Amino acid sequence: MTVSDKIKHFYDTVKIDGVSLPQQVKMPLSIAISAAAVSVLIGAALIIPNIVKKQPKNTGKKPISGRTV
Amino acid sequence: MQIKLDKIMEASECDKALTKIAQGKQDAIPVIHKYLERQIFAVAYSVLHDFSLCDDVVQETYIKIIEKAASYRPGTSAKAWVLTIARNIALDMLKHRKFETPDENLDMNMSDRFDENSILLSLQVKSALDALDDEDRQIVTLKAYTGLKHSEIAAMLGITTEAAKKKYQRAIARMKELLI
């Protein structure tokens, strides 16, 4: 076995783990920031109308009878 | 003959994959992973001689490939381009890890499918590689394991082709002595 073969053997026998392909790894910072910004906007779009249209609390008082306005 | 055909195939597939990635098709990354994962790992080890950091270098290299693929010139050596990125990432990591002790536990990093003799041989090779200076270890790994040409290694290390050849021969001779 030549020295080159021994070097090949060494690197071929080393266990490689923990490497995942980039679809699963962290995304580039600019994309991550954009994604976060979009999430915030979507969240805001869903929550704000509910706040604006919030119904008044039920105070338990009955409306005055006969009143039309 | 078969090995030569495999190398041509590898070069062509990696070249095509980088061209696709440059066009935004990230699904070509598994091609780079298939052909160059171990070679990237080896380059990382030759710089860092710390197994615990090599996986990170492989992963960072894939991310960098996606970011920089547009600067790859199709038809040039895809492997040399990828391994240069890997080496630069490993060198950056080395700067930040200078004062920490490397992970030297080889047994934990050997694939389970190998027997005792294989592990023993790997331990000897690891000791011999670690006994070389940093540049010699990188040259030996780049030539013997990744199969880069002396001219490609010289360009990567910023030395002349002649110097790369001489250093390789000297380092192999030194390893031969150490592996007796």
Side-chain angles (χ1 to χ4, degrees):
Chain A
M1 205 184 225
T2 65
V3 174
S4 293
D5 290 338
K6 288 177 182 175
I7 292 168
K8 280 178 198 158
H9 172 84
F10 168 66
Y11 284 121
D12 280 340
T13 52
V14 173
K15 187 163 63 184
I16 303 179
D17 48 23
V19 177
S20 48
L21 297 180
Q23 288 98 313
Q24 297 137 358
V25 297
K26 57 189 174 188
M27 55 183 102
L29 190 60
S30 55
I31 299 173
I33 291 169
S34 309
V38 168
S39 304
V40 168
L41 286 174
I42 291 170
L46 293 170
I47 293 165
I48 290 171
N50 289 335
I51 296 169
V52 173
K53 290 176 185 172
K54 205 170 180 184
Q55 296 297 316
K57 281 181 185 172
N58 185 359
T59 56
K61 286 179 184 173
K62 287 180 181 175
I64 300 163
S65 59
R67 191 166 176 174
T68 53
V69 180
Chain B
M1 185 66 181
Q2 184 59 41
I3 293 170
K4 205 169 182 181
L5 281 174
D6 288 348
K7 279 189 176 177
I8 292 168
M9 177 77 141
E10 175 192 285
S12 156
E13 292 292 312
C14 290
D15 183 72
K16 276 187 214 162
L18 286 181
T19 309
K20 279 186 185 173
I21 295 164
Q23 293 162 352
K25 294 171 187 163
Q26 291 186 19
D27 55 349
I29 274 284
V31 177
I32 302 293
H33 179 71
K34 178 185 165 193
Y35 287 107
L36 299 179
E37 181 196 26
R38 284 204 165 264
Q39 299 182 25
I40 296 169
F41 189 96
V43 169
Y45 183 79
S46 74
V47 174
L48 295 161
H49 52 121
D50 183 346
F51 290 118
S52 65
L53 296 173
C54 295
D55 290 336
D56 291 344
V57 174
V58 178
Q59 204 144 334
E60 287 292 326
T61 302
Y62 294 154
I63 292 167
K64 207 72 172 177
I65 288 170
I66 292 168
E67 289 173 4
K68 302 280 178 191
S71 68
Y72 170 71
R73 283 181 294 135
T76 56
S77 173
K79 181 159 62 176
W81 189 82
V82 168
L83 296 181
T84 302
I85 289 177
R87 179 173 176 266
N88 289 339
I89 291 169
L91 287 172
D92 279 348
M93 222 172 252
L94 186 67
K95 274 185 207 161
H96 296 109
R97 295 272 303 202
K98 225 170 190 175
F99 303 105
E100 293 181 33
T101 319
D103 168 25
E104 293 189 337
N105 192 351
L106 181 65
D107 289 352
M108 292 293 286
N109 291 287
M110 293 294 293
S111 186
D112 304 331
R113 64 200 162 96
F114 296 102
D115 60 22
E116 273 180 31
N117 289 336
S118 288
I119 294 172
L120 192 64
L121 176 60
S122 289
L123 279 168
Q124 290 167 345
V125 176
K126 183 184 182 297
S127 301
L129 278 171
D130 289 350
L132 299 178
D133 72 35
D134 290 348
E135 194 176 58
D136 285 354
R137 188 172 49 251
Q138 288 173 44
I139 290 172
V140 159
T141 302
L142 288 166
K143 182 68 188 155
Y145 191 67
T146 74
L148 287 187
K149 294 174 191 161
H150 284 301
S151 57
E152 292 169 331
I153 296 169
M156 196 186 282
L157 272 66
I159 57 176
T160 63
T161 305
E162 201 51 42
K165 252 185 218 175
K166 278 185 183 165
K167 280 170 186 273
Y168 172 71
Q169 285 160 358
R170 201 181 52 207
I172 286 288
R174 173 99 178 97
M175 283 199 69
K176 209 171 185 176
E177 285 170 19
L178 292 165
L179 288 169
I180 287 173

